[in-house]
Amino acid sequence: MEKRTVTVVIPAHNEEKYVARCIRSVRGAAERYGGEVEVIVVCNRCTDRTADIAQSLGARVLLNEDRCIAKVRNAGIFAAKGEVVMTIDCDNRMTRGTIREAVHLLDTGRYIGGGAPIKFERYSFPLYLNDLMCRVSFAVTGLYCGIFWAEKRTFEAVGGFVEKKAMEDAATAKRLRAYGKTQGKAYTTLRRNFLVNSTRKYDDLGDWLYFKLMIQNAGALARAALGDGKDLDKLIDRLFYDYNK
């Protein structure tokens, strides 16, 4: 039977240090899969060599100016040529069986799509705590994130990623799960493969980074919960949208 075509979408903002290793991890997974795999790198406000490096490795490059990661991902998803679409952030990597396992799960007809387990590329005590928090959150909510995968027609049916600046991954998982229920299919996660999660922010800012941020920005988080998200937006810009200047 002919294998389904796959597109892997990689959003990137000034990622010249990481784009090559991400694409190579996708190429390794494509080789293990054995079918046609398109790689799209969506260069978001890039001022470095990200686009040149991506093109030199055979990726299709799209340019995007949005300050919203969901919109960046959606630009790649809706331009994808593959029947199956996967997304992975540029500083992360996928394991070699990732594409093959995701397509196999879709081919069973039981799943609408899913996410992937997350493992840090290195560990320390605070990173083990972060890992545990992620595992517990995924297990309790079932909103698996990391590497997203589904048929392109599914992403189109739900309107792609939920276009919000933060927590768009959980919101999108919830959207896919709800749509899956209407189709009699479950939202799930990979079992044998996982996302290799970058520790670059921890390397730069310390392994206790997110615990410190929760304490230091408790007021902003509380105000955001009450509907005033201005301070939280500034924090998100600093940590994500303006991180690689």
Side-chain angles (χ1 to χ4, degrees), residues 12-169:
H13 171 60
N14 287 345
E15 297 284 10
E16 63 182 8
K17 293 181 181 178
Y18 297 95
V19 65
R21 73 172 195 176
C22 183
I23 292 174
R24 289 185 181 118
S25 78
V26 174
R27 295 297 188 203
E31 182 179 343
R32 178 72 62 86
Y33 172 55
E36 181 183 343
V37 177
E38 173 190 41
V39 178
I40 295 179
V41 175
V42 186
C43 286
N44 175 243
R45 299 175 293 117
C46 289
T47 57
D48 65 356
R49 296 180 57 249
T50 299
D52 293 337
I53 295 169
Q55 287 176 329
S56 73
L57 292 171
R60 179 181 166 201
V61 172
L62 304 179
L63 303 181
N64 178 278
E65 297 296 320
D66 291 306
R67 292 177 67 86
C68 173
I69 187 62
K71 290 183 178 181
V72 180
R73 291 194 183 108
N74 284 341
I77 289 169
F78 293 118
K81 297 176 181 177
E83 300 167 73
V84 174
V85 176
M86 308 181 71
T87 70
I88 181 171
D89 289 348
C90 197
D91 57 339
N92 297 329
R93 287 165 283 164
M94 60 173 59
T95 49
R96 285 183 61 85
T98 295
I99 297 174
R100 185 171 68 175
E101 183 179 359
V103 174
H104 168 71
L105 289 171
L106 290 172
D107 283 345
T108 67
R110 292 184 291 167
Y111 304 107
I112 199 68
I118 295 172
K119 293 185 180 180
F120 288 106
E121 57 189 0
R122 68 169 178 83
Y123 276 91
S124 64
F125 178 65
L127 292 184
Y128 274 115
L129 292 180
N130 273 283
D131 185 293
L132 181 60
M133 287 173 59
C134 289
R135 290 172 186 266
V136 170
S137 175
F138 289 164
V140 169
T141 66
L143 300 177
Y144 303 102
C145 300
I147 297 170
F148 281 85
W149 48 274
E151 293 179 338
K152 183 181 178 181
R153 63 183 180 181
T154 296
F155 278 117
E156 291 174 335
V158 302
F161 272 71
V162 177
E163 293 187 347
K164 53 191 293 190
K165 291 185 71 172
M167 298 297 291
E168 82 295 333
D169 47 3

Side-chain angles (χ1 to χ4, degrees), residues 189-204:
T189 186
L190 302 180
R191 279 77 160 171
R192 297 187 296 273
N193 291 276
F194 54 89
L195 173 77
V196 182
N197 197 39
S198 169
T199 60
R200 65 166 174 186
K201 285 192 178 75
Y202 302 101
D203 297 339
D204 292 346

